[in-house]
Amino acid sequence: MDRHIPFEALHNFRDLGGYPAGDGHRIRPGRLFRSDSLGKLTPDTQDWTRFLSLGIRTVVDLRYPWEIETRGRIPAHPSFAYHNLSIEHRPYDQAALTPDIAPGPYLAERFMEVAEDGTKELRTALELISESAESASPLVFHCASGKDRTGQLAALTLSLLGVPDPVIIEDFSLTELATQSLLTDWKTRNNGHTPTWPGFARAPESVMRLFLASLRARYGSTEAYVTEALNLNAESLSATLRTHLLEPVPTTWPNLTYRKATPTDAPALVRLRDTAALWQLARGISQWQPGEKDETHFRTRMREGEVWLAHTGDHLSGAWELWWDDPAAWGPRPPDAGYIHRLMTTPHTAPPGTGRKMLTQAESRIAATGRPYARLDCLTSNPRLRAYYESAGYTVVGEQRAKDGGSGSPYAVTLLEKRLA
């Protein structure tokens, strides 16, 4: 599932549903949304129809009143109530910051200012989320880009729901998938100029990681902050949110279906890989970086090998590449193997075991060509991934200490092989 719900005018509208919340539960889809400015919506458009179809009953606008005056607010409609809660009290211009300012520490400090200044507004926002949860009515909160102020309220809410830190960090960093569109909008509004700050519209995982650490260093826990600074009963609030916004993780899932990718699938593959990269970075794994593989890469792999998609119903659950040779890692070899690359699943929403099932499907495809081996490689610095493949029947057969993957920076990989029946 792609968390970003597609709109023409909005670039960062997301469903928080599906995130794990401990004890075998996850957040119910379609109940809690976050977004960039809903002031970009216009009545009598497809965007407006799509928004109203979500059944949202409460809109929380976290921007300054002067931002709303300048850029507009969501059009009024009898189906929802609108609340303006400006949680930030010390304005600053991100676009005008100098390039030497590191986004992580700088924005984490601004988040702590909001945590201290915006207690009244944050308290009201959490109360509205709780009331919406109890009444089973969907709610959306937003700021300008749907990144910082929205990300901070999302972090508090997710933490109260029992969502683990790596997922909270990952949720914040998913704005990276919208950065280019947000930047294009800014340039359009500013006569084509470029922000002086390279961090503008970016959402590196370090921001949320540092903010959560700072909040807990000062208050001990998110719950203690909610109790002491916001004057809310964190235990009661958390119980209400969990009762009404969580559902058990499904025990049965539709079967996966597989098909070869076509060139029109390239954008979805780029997005899937970037999402997987952000998942890794939120957990301190720096194997993949967003933006490393573009549509041309995937179209080339389709032309020179095969790319396969796995679906659960209508939802993309994963994908992988199948190569028929791999000289960069394995050197010249006879045509006795298929080489599996970029095995990736949609975080949190793919059925359990999807990765292993896709691996088996890839092996079946290789065996059908009469090749007796399946081969793959993983970074030598990633023992967790090596263990995963070993548990699937792969054996370490060597190491390539200077693989050139086309980035210009050689790296060491462990080579693994499996004899196919």
Side-chain angles (χ1 to χ4, degrees), residues 42 51 77 141 176 221 250 281 305 325 364 396:
T42 305
F51 176 80
H77 193 273
F141 51 93
E176 291 279 309
S221 67
L281 290 171
D325 64 355
S364 297
V396 174

Side-chain angles (χ1 to χ4, degrees), residues 278-298:
L278 293 170
W279 182 95
Q280 292 177 9
L281 290 171
R283 288 153 182 80
I285 304 168
S286 57
Q287 180 159 340
W288 290 357
Q289 298 294 324
E292 286 179 324
K293 303 298 179 186
D294 59 11
E295 293 180 23
T296 299
H297 165 85
F298 287 104

Side-chain angles (χ1 to χ4, degrees), residues 274-324:
D274 287 349
T275 300
L278 293 170
W279 182 95
Q280 292 177 9
L281 290 171
R283 288 153 182 80
I285 304 168
S286 57
Q287 180 159 340
W288 290 357
Q289 298 294 324
E292 286 179 324
K293 303 298 179 186
D294 59 11
E295 293 180 23
T296 299
H297 165 85
F298 287 104
R299 292 191 179 109
T300 300
R301 296 321 316 165
M302 292 175 209
R303 187 173 61 252
E304 298 181 357
E306 298 177 358
V307 180
W308 286 81
L309 305 177
H311 284 84
T312 308
D314 295 331
H315 296 296
L316 180 63
S317 292
W320 71 91
E321 297 175 13
L322 193 53
W323 301 11
W324 300 120

Side-chain angles (χ1 to χ4, degrees), residues 14-97:
R14 293 190 252 143
D15 189 343
L16 293 174
Y19 282 139
D23 300 324
H25 289 79
R26 65 177 189 175
I27 300 175
R28 295 179 185 276
R31 294 285 298 278
L32 196 57
F33 301 93
R34 54 176 293 173
S35 180
D36 49 331
S37 173
L38 297 180
K40 294 182 282 187
L41 290 175
T42 305
D44 302 320
T45 61
Q46 287 187 350
D47 273 2
W48 187 240
T49 300
R50 183 176 294 114
F51 176 80
L52 294 179
S53 73
L54 297 173
I56 289 169
R57 296 292 175 263
T58 305
V59 174
V60 178
D61 187 340
L62 302 174
R63 295 175 299 162
Y64 289 99
W66 56 262
E67 287 180 278
I68 298 167
E69 239 180 87
T70 304
R71 303 299 313 284
R73 51 152 280 184
I74 187 172
H77 193 273
S79 66
F80 59 80
Y82 171 83
H83 304 266
N84 177 213
L85 301 171
S86 179
I87 63 173
E88 185 181 280
H89 293 194
R90 304 182 218 183
Y92 62 102
D93 185 357
Q94 287 193 24
L97 297 176

Side-chain angles (χ1 to χ4, degrees), residues 346-393:
T346 52
H348 314 298
T349 56
T354 293
R356 185 65 62 85
K357 291 175 182 176
M358 292 195 304
L359 197 57
T360 299
Q361 186 71 14
E363 292 162 2
S364 297
R365 172 63 186 144
I366 295 168
T369 69
R371 300 180 183 225
Y373 294 101
R375 294 184 181 134
L376 47 80
D377 65 77
C378 66
L379 282 180
T380 302
S381 58
N382 192 342
R384 180 178 171 186
L385 186 57
R386 167 181 165 170
Y388 174 81
Y389 287 127
E390 287 181 316
S391 70

Side-chain angles (χ1 to χ4, degrees), residues 49-300:
T49 300
R50 183 176 294 114
F51 176 80
L52 294 179
S53 73
L54 297 173
I56 289 169
R57 296 292 175 263
T58 305
V59 174
V60 178
D61 187 340
L62 302 174
R63 295 175 299 162
Y64 289 99
W66 56 262
E67 287 180 278
I68 298 167
E69 239 180 87
T70 304
R71 303 299 313 284
R73 51 152 280 184
I74 187 172
H77 193 273
S79 66
F80 59 80
Y82 171 83
H83 304 266
N84 177 213
L85 301 171
S86 179
I87 63 173
E88 185 181 280
H89 293 194
R90 304 182 218 183
Y92 62 102
D93 185 357
Q94 287 193 24
L97 297 176
T98 53
D100 59 300
I101 296 176
Y106 181 80
L107 289 177
E109 287 180 11
R110 304 291 77 73
F111 284 21
M112 284 303 296
E113 289 177 354
V114 171
E116 294 166 353
D117 298 343
T119 53
K120 177 182 175 183
E121 294 84 3
L122 284 168
R123 179 172 60 248
T124 303
L126 288 174
E127 288 172 337
L128 287 170
I129 292 172
S130 177
E131 291 168 9
S132 292
E134 283 191 278
S135 62
S137 55
L139 174 145
V140 60
F141 51 93
H142 75 90
C143 54
S145 296
K147 178 171 76 78
D148 299 326
R149 288 165 286 187
T150 297
Q152 190 163 348
L153 180 56
L156 293 175
T157 305
L158 294 175
S159 185
L160 290 168
L161 281 164
V163 173
D165 277 8
V167 180
I168 295 173
I169 293 167
E170 175 192 348
D171 176 69
F172 173 77
S173 70
L174 282 177
T175 288
E176 291 279 309
L177 301 180
T179 292
Q180 193 55 53
S181 296
L182 294 168
L183 184 58
T184 298
D185 275 4
W186 189 92
K187 289 180 176 179
T188 300
R189 296 195 306 268
N190 291 273
N191 301 316
H193 296 302
T194 299
T196 59
W197 193 41
F200 181 79
R202 298 292 308 278
E205 54 82 24
S206 58
V207 177
M208 185 55 66
R209 192 186 301 280
L210 289 170
F211 167 64
L212 291 174
S214 297
L215 191 73
R216 286 163 186 163
R218 185 165 304 178
Y219 292 95
S221 67
T222 304
E223 291 76 13
Y225 164 75
V226 170
T227 299
E228 296 170 21
L230 304 188
N231 291 317
L232 287 169
N233 185 325
E235 184 177 350
S236 175
L237 177 60
S238 177
T240 298
L241 294 176
R242 295 184 190 205
T243 297
H244 298 285
L245 285 178
L246 299 187
E247 64 179 4
V249 173
T251 55
T252 60
W253 301 79
N255 290 329
L256 290 172
T257 58
Y258 306 98
R259 68 171 176 85
K260 268 189 188 180
T262 66
T264 58
D265 295 310
L269 286 161
V270 171
R271 199 168 185 84
L272 176 59
R273 188 194 179 278
D274 287 349
T275 300
L278 293 170
W279 182 95
Q280 292 177 9
L281 290 171
R283 288 153 182 80
I285 304 168
S286 57
Q287 180 159 340
W288 290 357
Q289 298 294 324
E292 286 179 324
K293 303 298 179 186
D294 59 11
E295 293 180 23
T296 299
H297 165 85
F298 287 104
R299 292 191 179 109
T300 300

